[in-house]
Structures are given as structure tokens and as C-alpha cells.
Amino acid sequence: MTAAENLNEQVYPAPIKSVEDGSPAARAGVRPGDVLLRVNGQAVTDVLAYRRELERGIVSLEVARPREALQVMTGVPTTAQDHHRLLMPAAPDLTDTFTFSVEWEDPGLDFEEVLFDGIKKCANKCDFCYVHQMPRGFRKSLYIMDDDYRLSFLYGSFVTLTNLTEGDINRILDENLSPLYVSVHTANQELRQDMMKWWRLKVKDPQAVQIRSMIERLESIDLYTQIVLVPGRNDRENLDETVEYLSSRPNVISAAVVPIGLTGHRTNLPDVRTFNREEAQDTLKRLNVWRRKFLTERGTRFVFPSDELYLLAGEPLPAEEEYEGFPMLENGVGMIRDFLTEALPELPAALPQPMRVVLGTGLLFADSLERAIAPLRGIQGLDIEVRAVENKTFGRVTTVAGLLTGRCFRHAVKSGEADLLIVPPTTLRYGTELMLDDVSLGDLRNEFKMDVRAGGATLGELARVILQGAHSSGHQFGLSAHAIKDTAQARGGAAPGEPLEVEVAEENRRGKA
């Protein structure tokens, strides 16, 4: 490649997060913070393209060691404050490069991101889009309207397909990026356009918005589909039509049916509502007809209502086997049943010392959790409360546990009222202790003067978290007022050197007298 061609080539620098010890990359001197530029002389757009190049066996990798560039002025300053604000660092200098080769061996690189060329954005303006209902003040990544088929393949996120180019479609087929997870919503083309309102200038290929054509063109790709239901729009007969069409396509593996999710922040958005009890019951009745039919004819129920539909309808959840391996667990289909699949471990008769535990959860799951943890109430010394936490961030209409934030718990929990607060693990960003509003469990521990932990993904794990707290080396911030009273009562009053008046004063300080 000539120097001129190099300058004109579009390169997608991929920052390297870590280098495996003893790997070819480590032996070549690659360090975290270096940047991958090319593989076999070609720019790569994502980790999938990177892996595809590695499959060639003999591979040359070009790496750059970024050098800090001089700061540049991005405008004309008029004040000292402007000067500081407009002075921004330039893009790092990537001219310091070196190459190394591997032969049928993994280089040992882990990247900061899986997409080197950025996330493909959504081309739609759906009536029910959650991003449009987000309150202000969250981290920027939560406002990105992603609709990237690569993330669908890698992580199971749902895409609409409306932003695909001819090149994207060919790549999906050529590289067999299967399965994909597709938001269909309705098989009625006119209704789908009315609900999703794609921006014509953002649609790169007019054929991409034709959902039936797209499903049929991707006939070699397994598709897990979802239908977000809006009352009075794509439910009832329209739902029947969609289920019938999807079940007719051999590459459609299943269809999840999820009711619309709303927040209290719908300014200047279409007037939509969620399902009432009767509508949810009608939806389940319709879907159960299909489920019985498919099970008899195909050996699979094919269509799977979300947990929220059952809770809204007041209907019992299906048995574990009816979820057929929980293929759409992350979409809210079977999460409660999966939580209940692991039974409680052997429970102690009593705790070594009294402990008060608050289990915080969303309004929707509170009753189910209350019934599930009933056996724990038989443990002597354990005072456990399931607290339905109102969503103060997204509004009371948002009832799922996973969208609770630090602000919600700050409104629902008083400092020192318990020894242990357990929050749903789904409230935390993956691999961290941060909630959606960037409040950490450590922040809550300090503010509430109590231990704060994430619960388990199953009932058994939740019980172990509670018992682990009970058997830890003392509570991090001391006993709660409730436990102090129980301890004093158990020993017949205050112990020598520990006047009961001091304990009452502590209780008054915490606002519990």
C-alpha cells in the first residue's frame, strides 16, 4: 500500500484493553493502551471482522502506540473562560507503528470495545421507544439509540433491521451471523410503519423496512423475534395475524410478546397506555390458544408471553418446562420462574445474632418475592421485609425492578433502619456496583449506615446472600435499632456497662423511636 493510499484509507483504531501474558502480542511488546490499526493490511470494523481475519491462519497485525498530540483551539475565544473551554486535545498521533505476525495462534488481545467503527444508530422513531422517555441527567450512553445487528449477534440485543444496507445483509448471510434477535412488533406493513415511524433519510435501503421480505431474505439465519404490544394498536386480531405469519417462517425460532413499557417522562410523545387486567387476560387467552396448537403440531409452544403480562393479568406463571430452556430470559420472559427454579438451601434454625433485612424490589415483583421468601421468616432472629420501591426516577408507571435507581432507594429507605439492604442485581451495570444514575452500592452503604448488597439471580442465591451477611464478621455499621432492641430483650435488659438508655438514644438519633 502506498503512502497516498494509506492516507486515504478509512481506519478504525481499536484501543487494546489488555494483553494476555506470554501471548504472541505480549512477546511482540504490545501493551494495554496501544491501538490495533490493521490486520493483514486491512482495516477492521469490529471484533467479528478481526476474528474472521484470524481464521486465515497466518496473520500480520499492525499496532500503533499513541502519542499525545498538542491541544488545538476549536473556535475563536473571546474570554479567558472561552479560551479554556475551546482548547481541546487533538486526536492522538498514531504514526508510531509496528507489526507482528501469528501463525494459527490467538494474538492474545482484548479490546476496549467490540465495535471499532462505532454503533449503528436506529432509523426509527417508535411510539414506545424507551430512549425517548428517558429523564435527563444520565450518562450519555443511555441516550444512544443503537440498532446494530452485530450487537444482536454478539449479545442478543433486539434490532429492527430497518437501517441495514445491502452490504450489511450480505455480510450477515456470508458470515452466517446466526442467530439474530429481531423486533417485529407486527407483520402488517402499514401498521408497522405507523408504529415505528422510520426516518426516510436514515433508511439506507428501502427494502430493509419491509419486515416480511427481510425475514424471508434472511432465511438461512435463525431469528428470535419479539412483539412489543401496544393496547388498541397491534394486539388482538393484529397479534393473531403476526403470530400466524411468524410461525409460518422456518427460520423464526420463537416470538416473545412483551407489553409496552412506559415512564413518567413522555412529554411531546404520542398518547399511549399500558394494559389493564382485562386486556392482559385477553392477550394471554389468545396466545394460549396458539401455544397449545403449536405444541401439538410442532413440539414447541413457539410464542412466549413475558412475565409482566402474567402479573398484569393476575394469572399464575407457567411451569419451568413451559419456557423450553428460557431462550429469551433477558427479554423478561421467564425471569421470575427462573429465579424460583433453584430451591432454598438448608436454612438454619436461628441466626448467631439478630438481623433486620430489607429486600428492595419493584412494585411488579413485590408480591411474588413476598411469597417466595416466606420460609426465611421461620429463622429465629431474622426480621425480613420485602419493600416495594416506587420508581422516583422514571415515574410510578415504571414498575419493573431493573429500572430502580439510587434515587429510588434514597426515597424508600431510612438511614440505619436495617442491618442489610438487598437490591436487585438487575439494577446494576454489568460487572460493576453502579446503578443507572451512577449511584454505587458503596454510596448507599455510606449514606444508609448499613450493609448494602446485590441479591442473587435465583432464590437460592438470594438466601445465601442473606445468610452470608448474617454470618459475616459483624455488621459493617453496627446493629440496627431493631436488632438492638431484640438483643436487649433477649438478655433481659441492658448488659453491664451498656445502659439501655444509650440504646434508646441511638434509636432516637436514627428516627426510629
Side-chain angles (χ1 to χ4, degrees):
M1 181 177 292
T2 67
E5 289 172 330
N6 228 340
L7 289 172
N8 293 327
E9 181 196 18
Q10 178 69 58
V11 178
Y12 307 101
I16 295 169
K17 180 179 181 181
S18 62
V19 181
E20 184 180 349
D21 291 341
S23 66
R27 296 194 298 269
V30 181
R31 303 191 305 226
D34 289 347
V35 174
L36 177 69
L37 295 182
R38 298 176 184 85
V39 181
N40 286 334
Q42 302 294 321
V44 288
T45 56
D46 48 60
V47 73
L48 295 173
Y50 168 73
R51 293 173 184 169
R52 185 185 66 232
E53 290 298 320
L54 293 182
E55 291 173 359
R56 300 179 185 276
I58 302 175
V59 180
S60 174
L61 299 96
E62 182 182 356
V63 175
R65 182 149 295 155
R67 291 185 296 183
E68 186 175 348
L70 297 175
Q71 291 184 316
V72 296
M73 193 67 65
T74 60
V76 179
T78 57
T79 65
Q81 184 178 7
D82 274 352
H83 188 280
H84 176 74
R85 178 174 57 86
L86 296 173
L87 193 62
M88 301 294 290
D93 183 353
L94 300 178
T95 57
D96 183 9
T97 67
F98 61 96
T99 62
F100 70 100
S101 299
V102 296
E103 294 187 15
W104 303 105
E105 189 176 2
D106 189 280
L109 299 177
D110 187 25
F111 300 99
E112 293 284 354
E113 304 288 346
V114 296
L115 305 180
F116 308 155
D117 61 348
I119 294 177
K120 296 182 183 296
K121 304 295 181 61
C122 183
N124 314 307
K125 189 182 179 182
C126 298
D127 291 347
F128 44 85
C129 176
Y130 221 85
V131 176
H132 293 156
Q133 304 179 68
M134 286 283 293
R136 296 179 180 179
F138 288 92
R139 55 183 178 271
K140 291 181 179 179
S141 61
L142 294 176
Y143 300 94
I144 296 175
M145 295 177 59
D146 62 287
D147 198 11
D148 200 308
Y149 68 90
R150 298 168 297 178
L151 296 180
S152 184
F153 172 70
L154 289 167
Y155 302 119
S157 58
F158 280 89
V159 292
T160 66
L161 307 179
T162 61
N163 65 348
L164 294 186
T165 65
E166 181 70 12
D168 293 331
I169 298 170
N170 289 332
R171 183 182 180 190
I172 292 170
L173 295 171
D174 292 344
E175 298 182 20
N176 192 34
L177 300 184
S178 178
L180 294 180
Y181 295 76
V182 179
S183 290
V184 174
H185 306 319
T186 177
N188 182 306
Q189 183 62 25
E190 291 183 5
L191 176 59
R192 191 170 193 255
Q193 181 170 358
D194 182 61
M195 293 180 66
M196 297 175 64
K197 298 178 174 60
W198 43 78
W199 299 94
R200 294 191 182 278
L201 293 180
K202 294 184 179 180
V203 173
K204 301 176 179 66
D205 182 353
Q207 291 301 312
V209 301
Q210 303 292 325
I211 187 60
R212 295 194 185 211
S213 297
M214 288 299 296
I215 289 175
E216 290 158 23
R217 183 168 181 188
L218 297 174
E219 61 180 352
S220 63
I221 305 298
D222 288 344
L223 303 179
Y224 290 91
T225 62
Q226 77 163 349
I227 303 165
V228 174
L229 278 188
V230 181
R233 301 289 296 281
N234 59 336
D235 57 346
R236 301 179 68 82
E237 291 79 10
N238 282 313
L239 175 60
D240 289 331
E241 176 189 349
T242 301
V243 171
E244 183 174 23
Y245 170 73
L246 292 177
S247 66
S248 72
R249 305 310 309 167
N251 59 324
V252 177
I253 307 303
S254 65
V257 179
V258 183
I260 182 176
L262 301 177
T263 78
H265 302 269
R266 289 193 57 83
T267 305
N268 299 322
L269 293 175
D271 185 17
V272 295
R273 60 177 178 82
T274 191
F275 283 80
N276 59 37
R277 186 183 184 93
E278 292 73 23
E279 290 167 333
Q281 289 174 340
D282 176 77
T283 300
L284 287 178
K285 183 178 179 180
R286 288 174 180 272
L287 294 178
N288 284 335
V289 171
W290 286 108
R291 284 161 58 82
R292 288 190 294 268
K293 178 178 185 293
F294 294 143
L295 184 61
T296 300
E297 296 177 355
R298 304 171 54 164
T300 174
R301 294 167 182 83
F302 182 76
V303 60
F304 297 92
S306 72
D307 295 3
E308 190 173 356
L309 267 176
Y310 287 100
L311 295 176
L312 289 172
E315 300 283 351
L317 294 169
E320 179 182 353
E321 61 270 16
E322 293 190 39
Y323 288 99
E324 301 180 16
F326 301 98
M328 293 202 198
L329 195 63
E330 297 303 320
N331 204 31
V333 178
M335 290 188 72
I336 297 177
R337 179 56 66 197
D338 184 59
F339 173 80
L340 298 172
T341 52
E342 184 190 0
L344 288 167
E346 183 177 353
L347 302 177
L351 297 183
Q353 59 184 358
M355 181 175 71
R356 173 166 168 75
V357 178
V358 172
L359 300 180
T361 189
L363 302 179
L364 197 63
F365 184 49
D367 288 344
S368 299
L369 183 58
E370 184 75 57
R371 292 190 294 271
I373 58 94
L376 294 172
R377 299 192 185 283
I379 302 175
Q380 185 178 350
L382 176 61
D383 177 20
I384 187 167
E385 175 194 348
V386 174
R387 184 165 299 178
V389 178
E390 181 176 340
N391 201 310
K392 295 293 186 178
T393 301
F394 293 96
R396 186 177 176 83
V397 69
T398 301
T399 58
V400 295
L403 290 175
L404 293 173
T405 65
R407 180 189 178 198
C408 304
F409 287 101
R410 284 167 171 162
H411 278 81
V413 179
K414 295 180 180 178
S415 175
E417 69 166 299
D419 302 295
L420 174 61
L421 167 65
I422 292 183
V423 305
T426 51
T427 62
L428 303 179
R429 191 195 307 186
Y430 180 76
T432 74
E433 288 196 342
L434 288 177
M435 297 185 176
L436 280 171
D437 55 356
D438 289 331
V439 174
S440 72
L441 297 190
D443 295 334
L444 296 183
R445 290 185 191 106
N446 292 330
E447 293 175 31
F448 292 158
K449 302 296 185 291
M450 67 178 76
D451 196 5
V452 182
R453 304 187 186 193
T458 66
L459 180 59
E461 290 178 5
L462 174 61
R464 285 189 287 274
V465 170
I466 295 171
L467 296 177
Q468 181 184 10
H471 290 85
S472 62
S473 56
H475 301 300
Q476 185 175 355
F477 295 98
L479 296 176
S480 67
H482 175 87
I484 289 172
K485 290 197 297 182
D486 275 4
T487 303
Q489 184 177 8
R491 65 191 181 210
E498 297 181 41
L500 187 58
E501 289 81 359
V502 174
E503 296 175 355
V504 174
E506 172 67 8
E507 187 172 344
N508 280 324
R509 186 182 69 80
R510 293 177 176 177
K512 293 294 293 178

mmCIF file of all heavy atoms in Angstrom, residues 100-128:
data_model
loop_
_atom_site.group_PDB
_atom_site.id
_atom_site.type_symbol
_atom_site.label_atom_id
_atom_site.label_comp_id
_atom_site.label_asym_id
_atom_site.label_seq_id
_atom_site.Cartn_x
_atom_site.Cartn_y
_atom_site.Cartn_z
ATOM 1 N N PHE A 100 3.500 -7.321 14.011
ATOM 2 C CA PHE A 100 3.938 -8.652 14.413
ATOM 3 C C PHE A 100 2.999 -9.664 13.764
ATOM 4 O O PHE A 100 1.894 -9.314 13.322
ATOM 5 C CB PHE A 100 3.959 -8.809 15.942
ATOM 6 C CG PHE A 100 2.597 -8.832 16.593
ATOM 7 C CD1 PHE A 100 2.012 -10.040 16.971
ATOM 8 C CD2 PHE A 100 1.909 -7.657 16.854
ATOM 9 C CE1 PHE A 100 0.768 -10.065 17.573
ATOM 10 C CE2 PHE A 100 0.655 -7.670 17.467
ATOM 11 C CZ PHE A 100 0.093 -8.884 17.822
ATOM 12 N N SER A 101 3.435 -10.893 13.694
ATOM 13 C CA SER A 101 2.664 -11.925 12.992
ATOM 14 C C SER A 101 2.392 -13.107 13.907
ATOM 15 O O SER A 101 3.127 -13.374 14.867
ATOM 16 C CB SER A 101 3.419 -12.398 11.745
ATOM 17 O OG SER A 101 3.617 -11.327 10.854
ATOM 18 N N VAL A 102 1.310 -13.816 13.594
ATOM 19 C CA VAL A 102 0.978 -15.059 14.285
ATOM 20 C C VAL A 102 0.636 -16.100 13.227
ATOM 21 O O VAL A 102 0.162 -15.769 12.135
ATOM 22 C CB VAL A 102 -0.201 -14.887 15.262
ATOM 23 C CG1 VAL A 102 0.153 -13.937 16.388
ATOM 24 C CG2 VAL A 102 -1.443 -14.384 14.524
ATOM 25 N N GLU A 103 0.871 -17.352 13.568
ATOM 26 C CA GLU A 103 0.509 -18.456 12.690
ATOM 27 C C GLU A 103 -0.353 -19.442 13.467
ATOM 28 O O GLU A 103 0.133 -20.114 14.376
ATOM 29 C CB GLU A 103 1.766 -19.152 12.142
ATOM 30 C CG GLU A 103 2.603 -18.280 11.229
ATOM 31 C CD GLU A 103 3.740 -19.047 10.582
ATOM 32 O OE1 GLU A 103 3.708 -20.297 10.610
ATOM 33 O OE2 GLU A 103 4.653 -18.407 10.024
ATOM 34 N N TRP A 104 -1.620 -19.479 13.128
ATOM 35 C CA TRP A 104 -2.580 -20.391 13.749
ATOM 36 C C TRP A 104 -2.531 -20.288 15.277
ATOM 37 O O TRP A 104 -2.539 -21.284 15.992
ATOM 38 C CB TRP A 104 -2.334 -21.831 13.302
ATOM 39 C CG TRP A 104 -2.394 -21.988 11.818
ATOM 40 C CD1 TRP A 104 -1.338 -22.146 10.970
ATOM 41 C CD2 TRP A 104 -3.571 -21.966 11.014
ATOM 42 N NE1 TRP A 104 -1.770 -22.229 9.674
ATOM 43 C CE2 TRP A 104 -3.152 -22.123 9.659
ATOM 44 C CE3 TRP A 104 -4.931 -21.822 11.273
ATOM 45 C CZ2 TRP A 104 -4.038 -22.136 8.597
ATOM 46 C CZ3 TRP A 104 -5.825 -21.836 10.220
ATOM 47 C CH2 TRP A 104 -5.385 -22.002 8.890
ATOM 48 N N GLU A 105 -2.496 -19.051 15.760
ATOM 49 C CA GLU A 105 -2.427 -18.816 17.198
ATOM 50 C C GLU A 105 -3.162 -17.517 17.508
ATOM 51 O O GLU A 105 -3.101 -16.560 16.738
ATOM 52 C CB GLU A 105 -0.967 -18.716 17.646
ATOM 53 C CG GLU A 105 -0.781 -18.693 19.142
ATOM 54 C CD GLU A 105 0.695 -18.697 19.529
ATOM 55 O OE1 GLU A 105 1.550 -18.671 18.613
ATOM 56 O OE2 GLU A 105 0.991 -18.720 20.731
ATOM 57 N N ASP A 106 -3.848 -17.494 18.636
ATOM 58 C CA ASP A 106 -4.532 -16.267 19.034
ATOM 59 C C ASP A 106 -3.510 -15.246 19.496
ATOM 60 O O ASP A 106 -2.623 -15.569 20.291
ATOM 61 C CB ASP A 106 -5.528 -16.555 20.164
ATOM 62 C CG ASP A 106 -6.402 -15.357 20.459
ATOM 63 O OD1 ASP A 106 -5.929 -14.437 21.164
ATOM 64 O OD2 ASP A 106 -7.558 -15.327 20.001
ATOM 65 N N PRO A 107 -3.601 -14.003 19.022
ATOM 66 C CA PRO A 107 -2.600 -12.998 19.409
ATOM 67 C C PRO A 107 -2.603 -12.685 20.899
ATOM 68 O O PRO A 107 -1.596 -12.232 21.434
ATOM 69 C CB PRO A 107 -3.000 -11.769 18.584
ATOM 70 C CG PRO A 107 -3.798 -12.313 17.447
ATOM 71 C CD PRO A 107 -4.518 -13.504 17.996
ATOM 72 N N GLY A 108 -3.772 -12.851 21.561
ATOM 73 C CA GLY A 108 -3.847 -12.553 22.990
ATOM 74 C C GLY A 108 -4.269 -11.144 23.304
ATOM 75 O O GLY A 108 -3.886 -10.594 24.344
ATOM 76 N N LEU A 109 -5.083 -10.543 22.422
ATOM 77 C CA LEU A 109 -5.535 -9.167 22.609
ATOM 78 C C LEU A 109 -6.991 -9.127 23.074
ATOM 79 O O LEU A 109 -7.826 -9.898 22.607
ATOM 80 C CB LEU A 109 -5.416 -8.376 21.295
ATOM 81 C CG LEU A 109 -4.016 -8.229 20.706
ATOM 82 C CD1 LEU A 109 -4.101 -7.484 19.374
ATOM 83 C CD2 LEU A 109 -3.098 -7.512 21.669
ATOM 84 N N ASP A 110 -7.250 -8.203 23.992
ATOM 85 C CA ASP A 110 -8.625 -7.911 24.408
ATOM 86 C C ASP A 110 -8.837 -6.420 24.202
ATOM 87 O O ASP A 110 -7.990 -5.605 24.609
ATOM 88 C CB ASP A 110 -8.840 -8.298 25.872
ATOM 89 C CG ASP A 110 -10.289 -8.163 26.295
ATOM 90 O OD1 ASP A 110 -11.174 -8.241 25.418
ATOM 91 O OD2 ASP A 110 -10.544 -7.973 27.506
ATOM 92 N N PHE A 111 -9.962 -6.052 23.584
ATOM 93 C CA PHE A 111 -10.178 -4.668 23.178
ATOM 94 C C PHE A 111 -11.144 -3.944 24.118
ATOM 95 O O PHE A 111 -11.985 -4.560 24.775
ATOM 96 C CB PHE A 111 -10.711 -4.619 21.742
ATOM 97 C CG PHE A 111 -9.780 -5.241 20.743
ATOM 98 C CD1 PHE A 111 -9.975 -6.546 20.296
ATOM 99 C CD2 PHE A 111 -8.684 -4.539 20.270
ATOM 100 C CE1 PHE A 111 -9.111 -7.131 19.391
ATOM 101 C CE2 PHE A 111 -7.803 -5.112 19.361
ATOM 102 C CZ PHE A 111 -8.021 -6.418 18.919
ATOM 103 N N GLU A 112 -11.020 -2.623 24.126
ATOM 104 C CA GLU A 112 -11.911 -1.802 24.946
ATOM 105 C C GLU A 112 -13.359 -1.927 24.484
ATOM 106 O O GLU A 112 -14.280 -1.936 25.299
ATOM 107 C CB GLU A 112 -11.485 -0.329 24.889
ATOM 108 C CG GLU A 112 -10.149 -0.029 25.539
ATOM 109 C CD GLU A 112 -10.226 -0.025 27.062
ATOM 110 O OE1 GLU A 112 -11.339 -0.136 27.603
ATOM 111 O OE2 GLU A 112 -9.163 0.067 27.690
ATOM 112 N N GLU A 113 -13.573 -2.024 23.172
ATOM 113 C CA GLU A 113 -14.914 -2.129 22.597
ATOM 114 C C GLU A 113 -14.924 -3.241 21.560
ATOM 115 O O GLU A 113 -13.886 -3.576 20.974
ATOM 116 C CB GLU A 113 -15.327 -0.809 21.927
ATOM 117 C CG GLU A 113 -15.274 0.417 22.827
ATOM 118 C CD GLU A 113 -16.370 0.428 23.872
ATOM 119 O OE1 GLU A 113 -17.319 -0.361 23.740
ATOM 120 O OE2 GLU A 113 -16.274 1.231 24.820
ATOM 121 N N VAL A 114 -16.114 -3.799 21.305
ATOM 122 C CA VAL A 114 -16.218 -4.835 20.278
ATOM 123 C C VAL A 114 -16.500 -4.227 18.912
ATOM 124 O O VAL A 114 -16.319 -4.879 17.886
ATOM 125 C CB VAL A 114 -17.307 -5.875 20.633
ATOM 126 C CG1 VAL A 114 -16.944 -6.617 21.898
ATOM 127 C CG2 VAL A 114 -18.677 -5.227 20.744
ATOM 128 N N LEU A 115 -16.964 -2.984 18.884
ATOM 129 C CA LEU A 115 -17.226 -2.283 17.625
ATOM 130 C C LEU A 115 -16.184 -1.193 17.465
ATOM 131 O O LEU A 115 -16.123 -0.259 18.263
ATOM 132 C CB LEU A 115 -18.633 -1.679 17.616
ATOM 133 C CG LEU A 115 -19.789 -2.641 17.902
ATOM 134 C CD1 LEU A 115 -21.118 -1.888 17.861
ATOM 135 C CD2 LEU A 115 -19.795 -3.792 16.904
ATOM 136 N N PHE A 116 -15.363 -1.300 16.444
ATOM 137 C CA PHE A 116 -14.287 -0.331 16.245
ATOM 138 C C PHE A 116 -14.761 0.887 15.463
ATOM 139 O O PHE A 116 -14.158 1.962 15.569
ATOM 140 C CB PHE A 116 -13.117 -0.984 15.497
ATOM 141 C CG PHE A 116 -12.633 -2.271 16.115
ATOM 142 C CD1 PHE A 116 -11.976 -3.217 15.339
ATOM 143 C CD2 PHE A 116 -12.834 -2.536 17.466
ATOM 144 C CE1 PHE A 116 -11.521 -4.411 15.896
ATOM 145 C CE2 PHE A 116 -12.386 -3.725 18.039
ATOM 146 C CZ PHE A 116 -11.729 -4.669 17.244
ATOM 147 N N ASP A 117 -15.791 0.732 14.656
ATOM 148 C CA ASP A 117 -16.268 1.833 13.817
ATOM 149 C C ASP A 117 -17.495 2.527 14.400
ATOM 150 O O ASP A 117 -18.130 3.339 13.734
ATOM 151 C CB ASP A 117 -16.582 1.335 12.402
ATOM 152 C CG ASP A 117 -17.675 0.286 12.391
ATOM 153 O OD1 ASP A 117 -18.033 -0.231 13.467
ATOM 154 O OD2 ASP A 117 -18.197 -0.029 11.292
ATOM 155 N N GLY A 118 -17.854 2.222 15.642
ATOM 156 C CA GLY A 118 -18.994 2.863 16.287
ATOM 157 C C GLY A 118 -20.281 2.085 16.117
ATOM 158 O O GLY A 118 -20.397 1.190 15.286
ATOM 159 N N ILE A 119 -21.274 2.428 16.924
ATOM 160 C CA ILE A 119 -22.557 1.728 16.933
ATOM 161 C C ILE A 119 -23.435 2.231 15.799
ATOM 162 O O ILE A 119 -23.524 3.432 15.545
ATOM 163 C CB ILE A 119 -23.267 1.949 18.283
ATOM 164 C CG1 ILE A 119 -22.476 1.295 19.412
ATOM 165 C CG2 ILE A 119 -24.686 1.392 18.256
ATOM 166 C CD1 ILE A 119 -23.066 1.536 20.788
ATOM 167 N N LYS A 120 -24.092 1.312 15.126
ATOM 168 C CA LYS A 120 -25.065 1.681 14.094
ATOM 169 C C LYS A 120 -26.333 2.175 14.786
ATOM 170 O O LYS A 120 -26.894 1.505 15.654
ATOM 171 C CB LYS A 120 -25.364 0.485 13.189
ATOM 172 C CG LYS A 120 -24.140 0.016 12.393
ATOM 173 C CD LYS A 120 -24.490 -1.131 11.472
ATOM 174 C CE LYS A 120 -23.250 -1.642 10.740
ATOM 175 N NZ LYS A 120 -22.670 -0.612 9.848
ATOM 176 N N LYS A 121 -26.781 3.357 14.388
ATOM 177 C CA LYS A 121 -27.904 4.019 15.063
ATOM 178 C C LYS A 121 -29.246 3.597 14.479
ATOM 179 O O LYS A 121 -29.351 3.158 13.336
ATOM 180 C CB LYS A 121 -27.742 5.531 14.951
ATOM 181 C CG LYS A 121 -26.424 6.065 15.499
ATOM 182 C CD LYS A 121 -26.300 5.858 16.984
ATOM 183 C CE LYS A 121 -24.982 6.420 17.509
ATOM 184 N NZ LYS A 121 -24.840 7.847 17.285
ATOM 185 N N CYS A 122 -30.266 3.782 15.293
ATOM 186 C CA CYS A 122 -31.634 3.421 14.913
ATOM 187 C C CYS A 122 -32.183 4.423 13.897
ATOM 188 O O CYS A 122 -31.921 5.624 13.979
ATOM 189 C CB CYS A 122 -32.505 3.400 16.165
ATOM 190 S SG CYS A 122 -34.199 2.880 15.876
ATOM 191 N N ALA A 123 -32.966 3.927 12.971
ATOM 192 C CA ALA A 123 -33.580 4.783 11.949
ATOM 193 C C ALA A 123 -35.047 5.066 12.248
ATOM 194 O O ALA A 123 -35.750 5.647 11.425
ATOM 195 C CB ALA A 123 -33.471 4.110 10.573
ATOM 196 N N ASN A 124 -35.507 4.658 13.448
ATOM 197 C CA ASN A 124 -36.934 4.738 13.753
ATOM 198 C C ASN A 124 -37.235 5.784 14.830
ATOM 199 O O ASN A 124 -36.350 6.215 15.567
ATOM 200 C CB ASN A 124 -37.443 3.379 14.244
ATOM 201 C CG ASN A 124 -36.960 2.239 13.374
ATOM 202 O OD1 ASN A 124 -37.132 2.263 12.161
ATOM 203 N ND2 ASN A 124 -36.332 1.242 13.986
ATOM 204 N N LYS A 125 -38.487 6.139 14.910
ATOM 205 C CA LYS A 125 -38.985 6.983 15.992
ATOM 206 C C LYS A 125 -40.251 6.315 16.535
ATOM 207 O O LYS A 125 -41.360 6.831 16.396
ATOM 208 C CB LYS A 125 -39.283 8.398 15.490
ATOM 209 C CG LYS A 125 -39.596 9.389 16.615
ATOM 210 C CD LYS A 125 -39.939 10.759 16.072
ATOM 211 C CE LYS A 125 -40.278 11.717 17.211
ATOM 212 N NZ LYS A 125 -40.668 13.058 16.707
ATOM 213 N N CYS A 126 -40.049 5.164 17.170
ATOM 214 C CA CYS A 126 -41.181 4.352 17.628
ATOM 215 C C CYS A 126 -41.988 5.083 18.700
ATOM 216 O O CYS A 126 -41.428 5.778 19.554
ATOM 217 C CB CYS A 126 -40.687 3.023 18.193
ATOM 218 S SG CYS A 126 -39.820 1.993 16.992
ATOM 219 N N ASP A 127 -43.305 4.878 18.666
ATOM 220 C CA ASP A 127 -44.178 5.471 19.674
ATOM 221 C C ASP A 127 -43.797 5.026 21.081
ATOM 222 O O ASP A 127 -44.030 5.743 22.058
ATOM 223 C CB ASP A 127 -45.636 5.063 19.411
ATOM 224 C CG ASP A 127 -46.196 5.691 18.147
ATOM 225 O OD1 ASP A 127 -45.549 6.611 17.618
ATOM 226 O OD2 ASP A 127 -47.268 5.257 17.696
ATOM 227 N N PHE A 128 -43.218 3.834 21.200
ATOM 228 C CA PHE A 128 -42.955 3.234 22.507
ATOM 229 C C PHE A 128 -41.477 3.193 22.846
ATOM 230 O O PHE A 128 -41.061 2.480 23.767
ATOM 231 C CB PHE A 128 -43.520 1.810 22.540
ATOM 232 C CG PHE A 128 -43.222 1.020 21.301
ATOM 233 C CD1 PHE A 128 -42.034 0.344 21.159
ATOM 234 C CD2 PHE A 128 -44.133 0.996 20.253
ATOM 235 C CE1 PHE A 128 -41.755 -0.366 20.009
ATOM 236 C CE2 PHE A 128 -43.864 0.283 19.097
ATOM 237 C CZ PHE A 128 -42.668 -0.401 18.971
#
